[in-house]
Amino acid sequence: MSKLKKDKITEILKYLKKQKEQIIFDLIIKNYDKTNFYFALVFNLKIKRYKVLFIPIDAIGNNKVGEFACYQFIFIQTVNYIIEELKKGKKLSNKESFCNKLSPTMSSYYIEINTYIDNEHYCFKTTQVIPKEWLFLFEPIVVLFEHSPNIVSELCNKILAHFNNQSNIIEYTYSYDVDIYNTDINIFSPKAKEKGRKLFTNKKIIFFEKIQTNYFAIINNNIFILNYNNVSKILNIYCNKKLVDFESYIYALILALKENYENKFFKLIYIEKNIPKLKKYYLCYEVNNENFKVIYKNNELLLPINLIKENSIKLAPNNDYKFEEQIEKILKKKYSTKVVKQLMTNIKDTES
């Protein structure tokens, strides 16, 4: 964590010690969409009661911690349940790789959990979301948020996304604080800028399209997903591969954003054989003799082109006619003219 935030946490810990409050476990959120919070389950040694503590770190400033400490008492039965859950983590915490899930490329979206059970301290660190392996932390974290102000309920949903049936979670690779529309992008080196500008001007961004709140892009067969908040000036990026010269790719994508560049993906609909009404929509960026390359849950998925013959693949409306020509050309290598004509008729989705 940054020195400033470390100092604030130190102030909070000193405050708790002065108040005779013993930490059972705490949750530190740092630079999460530019916000910082401290949560804790504590035991007050003076009154012998358990409480949940919530502190909005950004509000403290030069004021005393106690002025912003929000407490709520908690039932002993709930505390006992939380402690039992936390004890499960002790059995799993013998490896550093289990406790430390921090992204090597991001300092923002920092999450830290400390447990103090049976006079033993365990520290868990991760980026953006709580990993599925940390199931023992799910209920304790939920309880913390249930006893905190409603303004942080959305934050709870975000960090526990893996446990809330959110199958399309985008775990960012990089995050930048930048106003991409109104300032020169000084966060990148001149070399990265030069390479990125060439990628953009030479049309190496094969696809670039906004889908709901995210931008999806393909450069050199790599998948990028961008999310830009123009209010808080945060640019979050996901890439499906580790890349050399990563920043040059990002600079190219920023230029695409600034120039309102767009080149839409081909759209495919996959129809389940046993559940015809269940349709899955995919962004397709390449087709060859064997497969469609599509984006599925942030990553590449290969759909066999033979699914056309099984009537399991349809073209979504408003696809580029060139995409149809590519498919037809490939099918002609496999089937007779009559069969191809029928398949091309069948592939059109008329129900969407």
Side-chain angles (χ1 to χ4, degrees):
M1 292 188 291
S2 69
K3 186 177 186 302
L4 175 64
K5 296 303 180 295
K6 275 188 175 179
D7 288 346
K8 292 300 178 187
I9 298 300
T10 301
E11 286 181 33
I12 291 170
L13 296 179
K14 286 180 179 178
Y15 165 79
L16 292 176
K17 188 175 182 180
K18 188 176 180 181
Q19 296 298 116
K20 303 292 184 185
E21 291 185 326
Q22 178 183 332
I23 302 170
I24 308 304
F25 90 105
D26 63 16
L27 168 64
I28 300 167
I29 306 286
K30 180 238 172 180
N31 199 14
Y32 205 107
D33 293 335
K34 293 188 177 179
T35 57
N36 304 272
F37 300 104
Y38 180 83
F39 305 79
L41 171 63
V42 299
F43 179 69
N44 189 288
L45 297 168
K46 291 187 288 186
I47 63 173
K48 307 298 182 185
R49 294 286 300 274
Y50 287 97
K51 297 185 286 185
V52 169
L53 168 65
F54 165 74
I55 299 177
I57 297 174
D58 299 309
I60 296 173
N62 296 322
N63 300 303
K64 294 180 180 179
V65 172
E67 296 177 14
F68 298 93
C70 305
Y71 287 100
Q72 187 170 335
F73 287 106
I74 184 170
F75 291 116
I76 185 64
Q77 297 94 326
T78 306
V79 173
N80 289 336
Y81 174 70
I82 288 175
I83 290 173
E84 288 306 309
E85 289 297 295
L86 295 176
K87 282 181 178 179
K88 294 177 183 177
K90 288 174 56 179
K91 300 174 184 177
L92 303 168
S93 306
N94 56 347
K95 289 185 180 179
E96 170 68 15
S97 59
F98 180 82
C99 297
N100 190 340
K101 302 289 184 180
L102 287 173
S103 165
T105 59
M106 285 178 62
S107 58
S108 51
Y109 294 91
Y110 176 91
I111 301 172
E112 179 182 320
I113 299 111
N114 294 282
T115 66
Y116 302 87
I117 306 295
D118 298 333
N119 295 317
E120 293 180 294
H121 172 214
Y122 292 91
C123 182
F124 303 89
K125 298 178 182 179
T126 187
T127 305
Q128 191 180 340
V129 291
I130 302 298
K132 285 185 177 180
E133 304 97 292
W134 296 359
L135 178 61
F136 60 93
L137 288 172
F138 174 75
E139 290 292 350
I141 289 173
V142 168
V143 170
L144 282 186
F145 278 93
E146 285 177 341
H147 291 75
S148 298
N150 289 333
I151 58 169
V152 290
S153 59
E154 182 58 29
L155 175 61
C156 181
N157 292 331
K158 286 181 178 180
I159 69 171
L160 294 176
H162 277 310
F163 306 98
N164 295 329
N165 298 319
Q166 296 184 32
S167 58
N168 59 341
I169 305 164
I170 299 172
E171 294 190 44
Y172 304 128
T173 312
Y174 279 86
S175 182
Y176 297 98
D177 295 342
V178 59
D179 184 347
I180 66 173
Y181 294 112
N182 298 313
T183 60
D184 185 29
I185 312 302
N186 295 319
I187 56 176
F188 300 117
S189 68
K191 188 176 181 180
K193 286 183 177 183
E194 182 185 354
K195 289 185 176 180
R197 196 172 285 110
K198 285 181 179 178
L199 285 170
F200 179 67
T201 55
N202 293 338
K203 298 183 178 179
K204 296 298 183 180
I205 304 177
I206 307 302
F207 292 98
F208 191 85
E209 183 177 358
K210 186 176 184 180
I211 309 289
Q212 296 177 340
T213 59
N214 296 315
Y215 293 86
F216 290 76
I218 302 292
I219 307 179
N220 294 337
N221 220 35
N222 303 304
I223 298 170
F224 293 88
I225 304 174
L226 289 77
N227 181 279
Y228 182 62
N229 187 322
N230 198 30
V231 176
S232 56
K233 311 303 181 189
I234 300 173
L235 175 64
N236 296 313
I237 306 109
Y238 161 85
C239 181
N240 67 324
K241 298 175 185 174
K242 291 183 178 179
L243 300 174
V244 178
D245 293 332
F246 183 85
E247 289 191 338
S248 62
Y249 285 90
I250 299 309
Y251 189 73
L253 293 169
I254 288 176
L255 291 178
L257 280 171
K258 293 182 74 169
E259 296 294 326
N260 293 316
Y261 175 76
E262 182 179 69
N263 189 17
K264 292 187 175 182
F265 285 83
F266 308 128
K267 311 296 192 306
L268 289 178
I269 303 170
Y270 175 73
I271 302 168
E272 291 279 358
K273 266 189 173 183
N274 300 325
I275 320 173
K277 290 186 178 181
L278 179 60
K279 297 181 178 181
K280 295 180 180 178
Y281 293 78
Y282 297 103
L283 303 180
C284 178
Y285 57 96
E286 187 180 321
V287 57
N288 55 42
N289 291 340
E290 302 298 328
N291 301 295
F292 293 102
K293 284 187 177 181
V294 300
I295 295 177
Y296 177 71
K297 293 185 179 180
N298 315 335
N299 277 297
E300 177 190 287
L301 176 69
L302 299 178
L303 295 178
I305 199 165
N306 289 338
L307 289 173
I308 294 175
K309 201 162 192 302
E310 298 174 16
N311 208 27
S312 296
I313 288 286
K314 299 285 185 181
L315 292 179
N318 303 319
N319 265 301
D320 191 319
Y321 71 93
K322 291 181 181 178
F323 186 41
E324 293 183 31
E325 289 180 350
Q326 288 181 45
I327 295 170
E328 186 173 3
K329 188 176 180 179
I330 292 168
L331 292 177
K332 282 180 178 178
K333 296 178 183 178
K334 296 174 173 285
Y335 309 111
S336 67
T337 302
K338 183 179 180 181
V339 171
V340 170
K341 186 177 181 181
Q342 186 60 55
L343 291 176
M344 291 306 297
T345 300
N346 293 345
I347 203 175
K348 304 289 180 63
D349 182 62
T350 56
E351 297 179 8
S352 293

